[in-house]
Each structure stands twice: as C-alpha cells, then as structure tokens.
Amino acid sequence: MASKLDRLKQSVGGNAAESMSSADGRAQAGPPAKGPAARPAHLQGVTKSNDVAEIEVGRIAADPEQPRKEFDPDRIAEMAASLKESGQLQPIRVRWDPATASYVIISGERRWRGAKMAGLAKLLCVIDRRELEDSALVVDQLVENLQRVDLRPIEQATKMQDLIIKHGLTQVEVARRLGVERSKVVKALALLDLPEDVREKVEDGRLAPATAYELTKLADEEDRREVAEKVVGGDLNRADAIEEVKKVAARKPKSGKGGGGKAGGKAKKETDRAFNARGIQWRAVSARGFDASGLLASAREIVERLEVEVSPSPGGVAEAATV
Amino acid sequence: MHIVTMLNQKGGVGKTSTTHHLAGTLATMNRRVLLIDNDPQSSLSQGFWGPNVVWDLDPADTVAAIYRGDRPYPDQVIRPTGVGGIDLVPGSRHATDSNRPRPFEAEEDEQQCLRSFLAETGEVYDLVLIDCPPNLHLCSWAALVASDHLIVPLQPEDYGAQGIRDVNASVARVQAGPNPALGLLGYLLTMVAPRRSIHVLYEANLRGLYGDGVFAARVPESAVYVEAIAHRLPIAQYKPKGAPARAIRELADEVLARIASKALAEPLEV
C-alpha cells in the first residue's frame, strides 16, 4: 500500500514542482492548470473610457462661439419628440469649462435644446479632454458642422476667415482641415468682399454662391450690385451671370451712368480686379487686360519679392503669403 | 453585499489560507462569494490557478488595473475560480507599484478605488472577502476604505500578537476619515495547537483583553489545510468531512452571525 507521501506525489507532485520552480522550471508537467477563462467575449479588445458620462442637462451650456446661431424651433420640437420617443441615440460632445464651471457643448446643441424641451434630466456626453487652443475647437466645430449640416454660405465664409485672420491658418490649411478643395475656400472667402446687400441675397438663397463668386471679379461695388440685381431679378443662371459680368467688366472703368457700350463679343481679358486677403485690399489693374494665368504669374513675382523682404537670407522660408 | 477585509501586518498568520478555505465553505453554504486578491504576492490566486497562470495574467485583467486607475468594468477583472460559487479578482505583481506607504496621503481616487469598483459590481455577491498583503500600505488601506467589516487573523504567539497595535492604528485612522462605517468583526486565532501551553496562555490573554472581540471559532493547525492548497482546493471541496473542515464551517457560521447582528445593530436608514 502506497505511503501517504507516495499518494501525495501522485496527486500534487506537479503542483508542488510548479510552485517551487522559478520561471525556467516551466517544462515540468503537471495537472492541467485550471486557469481563468478569458475575458468575456464582449469585453475582448475593450478598454473602458473615462471620456463618456451622463451629465445633467442643467450642467451643460451652449457654446457662445458656436457657428450655428439660429435654431429652427420646429426642428427643435422634432428633436424633442424624437428624444421622447426613441431616447437619445447619439451622444453630444462637450468640454469642461473651468471659467463657467459647466460643460460647454462642442457639438450637439440641437439635441441639447431638444432634451431641455423634452424635459430630459441627463444627456449622454462624450467629454473632450484635450487641452485645446481656441482655433482647434472652432475648427472642430466647423468641421463637424460642415460634415453634417449645410452652413449658410456667408456664415461658413465668415468662420473660415476667422480661422485665417484670428488663428493664423493659411487657406491651404483651412482646406486641408476641412477636407475640401482649396478652391472652395478661396471662393467662400471671396464672397466676403461683396457688399452687404449682395451678401444678404446669397445668405437667404436668392443668389447662388457660385454665381456670386463671379461678381467678385468686378472691381467696382456698384457694378457688383448692378449685376446682382440683374441676376436675382432676372433669375439668371450662373452661365448668364458670367456673361453679364464680362459685359460690365468690359465697360471702361469710371464710366458714367449710361456711358459705355456693350462689349463686342467675348472679352477674355479683365482689366481691373480686386481682392481681399487677410484684411489687406489688393487691386490688379492693367489697361492691356489680363487673364487668370497672367494674373497669377504677376502675383507670384510679387510673392517672391515679398519673401525676400520678409526673410532676406538665401533659402530662407518665409510664411507663404497665399492669395 | 457584505465586504470583509482579512488583514494583519504580520505575515504568515494565515490570512490567505483562511480566506481561501472560508470562501470554499461559504460556497457550499450557497453563498455567492467574490474574492479580491489584494496582495501583489498573489498567493490567493495561485491557490486556485497555480503560479504560472497567475504570472502570465495581463495586469489589465487583475486588481492592478483597479489600482492604476483604469476603472475597469467588473466583468473585465472578475473571473470564476473554477470552484463553484467563488469568483476572483486576481492579484498581480504589477500592483506592487501602487502599494505605496503613507496611504492616507494618496489621492482620494486611489484611496477609494476598491470601494468604487465594488460599488459598480452591484448586488451580485453575498460576501466579498479581500485578502491583503502583510503591510499597511495603500492596498490594505484601500481595502479598509472599501469594507464593512475587518477580520484580523493572528497566531496565539508573541510575534503573532505584535501586529495588532499597528492594525488598530490604521483602522482608527480609516474610521476617523474615509470610512467611519468600518467595524472590527473580530480577532481570529489561527494555526492553533490547542494542547500547546504557550498557545493556551496567549489565547487566554487575548480573550481576557478583548472578550467578544475574539472569534469563538479557531482555525487549528493542520496539515490537511496545506494539502488542500496543494490540490488547489478549499478544505470543504478537498476533504469536507473531518475536523479541519468542521472548524472552518464553525468559523463561517460565526462570521455570518456576527455580520447579521451588526446589521441589526445599525440604525435603520430612513
């Protein structure tokens, strides 16, 4: 009959060896380890985030910098009804603002307003904890808006200009951050050159932005208004508007009322064009007239000259004055 | 859900062993038990799974995740031990870094981390047993902050009794601060050789000093407890018949009774 020692060796010899050994002693066979089960399937590859929370609606405030300043009451009511019916399907994005000791909305103001109207106590929020400079937040807000909702053209252009003037982004950077073609940014900014009443027409939809952009090729404000009236009043499309612009542009500069005849045929060259970039007015004038590529070549020369001024050393890289 | 810490600054007094066997017996009494292996040494975990498995555990799936502020989901770190009715938050040597001295100076989040974790588990378990390291650093502190009750295992010998003073100081500090509700469930005599004169003497002294503060039940010295661990089983699952298992059963009964009477003694919340 086996001694107790022999019996123990049989039953737990492996365990004893495992417990006694150091890491290299792994080779010892033993009873199969009753190891723990793996993480439950729904938690594999999952790490809890501290950035999601349910926050009382009263502790959340609208962002004064929010680009979308007007909210259609009907849509808020729709949101409220949907929240009541289906619950909150989408978190809003907030950040903590120590100055006001509240959570400020980065995106989701409509949902928040709907929640208040619906009488919800709390909202599911994603908390943005990045230490952000203002411009990154504004860009984020703008990006979110542009991705989901159509901002009105002048609103959109104004915020783009803010990024450039206030936060020092170039047009290229703005385009990249927004994931759009640079031309879109250029054209949007150009709209800001238009007189107030023309801008209004664009903003309320009477004048298409692409058409309005054509107006910016006219140097004279009165000319721009004139064509704008024609376009809106006559319900002209963009192609016709382009024609009108060329006609008007071909009139001699500073010609009086009623003066100047219609331009004969298509005039390829402009003679007078104004730009506004970062708060500085530029005017391109040439009696001979210029086309776009000629204008660009001339502008590049100016850029090079200015680059030398800004950074005289050879190969010095000055901030590109993109136009 | 009652949360009980097993603590003594003195090592080798049977904290882990008692926790292990007590859990097994409670499970046979149909209690759902959650164990927390709060000792970076991770002996309690190894007592179920062996050293290799425990060595290889991802810290994110152990108590270390709680200490480093991950705030893991309960499901992420709680595992069945393989013994029915007993789940375990495994220990990890990686928790060593968090086991800082002067725990009362730690960030509040750290001091409360076990408490917060247990608050999230919901009313799933009848009893939570927290096995602590043989020191009074952050791990032990966090356990005291999280617990309703404290059991202090000790041997009826000189070294065994010396730990009491420091434990009491820590308990008083926790009661005065983050956890006024913490109460001593009792001093528990372990590894007792009932006919050894020196043990008789010390036991008499302890009971003389603390009266009811000492558990009537004692855990006797026995090789069977040790064999059970070698088989990676609690005593009730290894050898349910016999004096060693009976002793743990008496302990379990008394633990539950003391908890129940404390619950009655507490003023009802309105």
Side-chain angles (χ1 to χ4, degrees):
Chain A
M1 181 154 123
S3 72
K4 172 141 191 194
L5 181 57
D6 292 329
R7 275 183 280 127
L8 275 178
K9 257 192 215 164
Q10 276 272 35
S11 54
V12 296
N15 287 352
E18 187 188 337
S19 291
M20 288 295 175
S21 73
S22 62
D24 351 13
R26 287 296 180 89
Q28 302 284 342
K34 266 185 305 184
R39 266 194 216 188
H42 71 278
L43 285 178
Q44 286 177 17
V46 173
T47 309
K48 202 182 203 192
S49 169
N50 287 332
D51 294 338
V52 177
E54 285 188 326
I55 303 180
E56 286 170 14
V57 166
R59 298 210 147 267
I60 303 170
D63 184 3
E65 298 282 329
Q66 169 56 246
R68 231 182 148 45
K69 286 190 168 58
E70 284 170 37
F71 291 88
D72 182 343
D74 289 338
R75 296 199 63 185
I76 303 296
E78 271 172 30
M79 175 63 72
S82 167
L83 286 169
K84 273 192 200 154
E85 174 74 29
S86 312
Q88 186 189 359
L89 298 174
Q90 169 114 302
I92 67 172
R93 198 170 175 81
V94 299
R95 64 179 168 91
W96 176 250
D97 180 24
T100 56
S102 68
Y103 281 97
V104 171
I105 298 173
I106 296 175
S107 68
E109 184 167 345
R110 187 178 301 112
R111 243 160 300 132
W112 172 69
R113 287 176 183 236
K116 287 203 293 184
M117 193 184 281
L120 262 55
K122 295 194 274 194
L123 274 173
L124 186 67
C125 302
V126 173
I127 302 171
D128 192 317
R129 297 189 197 274
R130 292 176 291 172
E131 302 268 330
L132 292 179
E133 302 155 19
D134 262 8
S135 75
L137 268 178
V138 172
V139 171
D140 279 355
Q141 286 176 337
L142 194 59
V143 169
E144 290 248 23
N145 275 331
L146 280 171
Q147 283 169 350
R148 294 191 336 247
V149 167
D150 288 323
L151 279 181
R152 289 182 298 187
I154 302 298
E155 248 187 300
Q156 188 185 93
T158 307
K159 283 295 159 181
M160 286 186 193
Q161 188 176 63
D162 279 350
L163 289 173
I164 292 174
I165 294 181
K166 276 193 212 160
H167 305 295
L169 271 68
T170 62
Q171 288 181 7
V172 171
E173 282 166 350
V174 171
R176 186 177 52 80
R177 288 299 301 269
L178 298 177
V180 300
E181 290 295 317
R182 189 174 145 193
S183 57
K184 176 165 177 167
V185 176
V186 169
K187 290 186 179 179
L189 290 172
L191 296 178
L192 298 175
D193 288 352
L194 295 170
E196 176 80 36
D197 48 338
V198 178
R199 289 208 302 271
E200 264 170 39
K201 290 183 171 72
V202 174
E203 198 72 326
D204 63 31
R206 284 180 285 162
L207 186 58
T211 309
Y213 175 70
E214 298 301 322
L215 299 181
T216 64
K217 296 177 182 175
L218 295 167
D220 189 272
E221 223 179 63
E222 272 310 307
D223 288 342
R224 291 174 174 180
R225 281 210 183 87
E226 185 190 319
V227 179
E229 289 293 336
K230 269 203 190 128
V231 169
V232 173
D235 208 14
L236 295 181
N237 63 22
R238 184 165 158 257
D240 294 337
I242 291 174
E243 281 309 307
E244 269 303 314
V245 166
K246 285 175 180 160
K247 270 191 241 169
V248 172
R251 295 201 296 241
K252 292 217 159 77
K254 296 187 184 163
S255 63
K257 286 188 287 193
K262 291 183 195 169
K266 298 194 175 198
K268 275 192 183 163
K269 298 200 173 193
E270 313 171 72
T271 54
D272 189 340
R273 191 150 166 199
F275 300 89
N276 182 312
R278 296 205 201 201
I280 297 174
Q281 273 60 253
W282 299 78
R283 191 147 180 180
V285 177
S286 171
R288 277 195 320 249
F290 45 80
D291 59 14
S293 53
L295 189 57
L296 181 59
S298 171
R300 285 213 169 103
E301 251 191 61
I302 297 173
V303 166
E304 275 165 45
R305 280 191 231 165
L306 288 172
E307 271 174 347
V308 168
E309 269 181 40
V310 170
S311 174
S313 52
V317 178
E319 194 180 82
T322 55
V323 166
Chain B
M1 183 168 81
H2 297 282
I3 305 170
V4 181
T5 284
M6 308 287 284
L7 176 62
N8 190 336
Q9 192 182 218
K10 180 79 184 66
V13 299
K15 286 184 295 304
T16 304
S17 170
T18 304
T19 306
H20 188 113
H21 297 305
L22 185 56
T25 298
L26 287 166
T28 63
M29 295 161 75
N30 282 323
R31 300 304 200 277
R32 286 215 60 187
V33 179
L34 175 63
L35 295 175
I36 300 187
D37 189 353
N38 195 30
D39 185 350
Q41 219 179 167
S42 315
S43 297
L44 184 63
S45 310
Q46 294 180 57
F48 288 103
W49 302 329
N52 291 346
V53 165
V54 174
W55 185 271
D56 287 341
L57 286 173
D58 181 347
D61 293 345
T62 71
V63 79
I66 301 175
Y67 281 109
R68 69 184 186 194
D70 288 359
R71 288 167 62 201
Y73 293 107
D75 278 355
Q76 189 177 321
V77 295
I78 294 177
R79 295 284 193 284
T81 53
V83 175
I86 308 177
D87 287 347
L88 170 69
V89 175
S92 167
R93 63 190 184 282
H94 299 281
T96 305
D97 297 333
S98 303
N99 194 27
R100 48 165 292 175
R102 303 183 70 77
F104 35 83
E105 288 174 359
E107 291 292 323
E108 181 151 352
D109 279 357
E110 277 188 280
Q111 296 189 34
Q112 301 273 349
C113 68
L114 281 185
R115 193 183 179 101
S116 310
F117 174 79
L118 287 169
E120 262 190 68
T121 58
E123 289 299 313
V124 174
Y125 298 98
D126 298 306
L127 219 62
V128 181
L129 300 179
I130 310 180
D131 183 29
C132 293
N135 54 58
L136 297 171
H137 299 332
L138 183 66
C139 292
S140 296
W141 180 269
L144 291 174
V145 169
S147 297
D148 309 307
H149 311 286
L150 170 65
I151 297 176
V152 182
L154 71 159
Q155 293 171 276
E157 295 176 2
D158 207 64
Y159 286 142
Q162 286 169 4
I164 290 184
R165 186 173 299 172
D166 293 306
V167 170
N168 287 342
S170 284
V171 169
R173 205 162 184 157
V174 168
Q175 286 168 329
N179 189 10
L182 175 67
L184 175 69
L185 207 58
Y187 297 103
L188 172 65
L189 288 163
T190 58
M191 297 159 151
V192 180
R195 280 191 275 274
R196 195 171 303 163
S197 307
I198 194 82
H199 281 194
V200 172
L201 175 66
Y202 271 80
E203 178 169 349
N205 256 291
L206 200 68
R207 294 192 189 279
L209 276 170
Y210 299 109
D212 274 347
V214 185
F215 275 91
R218 308 169 305 183
V219 183
E221 199 177 64
S222 169
V224 185
Y225 293 126
V226 179
E227 279 168 32
I229 303 291
H231 285 79
R232 312 241 173 92
L233 289 171
I235 188 76
Q237 284 75 10
Y238 173 68
K239 195 175 180 203
K241 295 198 188 9
R246 260 201 315 277
I248 300 294
R249 179 62 191 244
E250 280 168 25
L251 173 61
D253 286 336
E254 194 177 344
V255 166
L256 293 172
R258 286 182 177 233
I259 287 175
S261 70
K262 289 219 158 152
L264 288 172
E266 271 157 25
L268 287 170
E269 281 182 28
V270 177

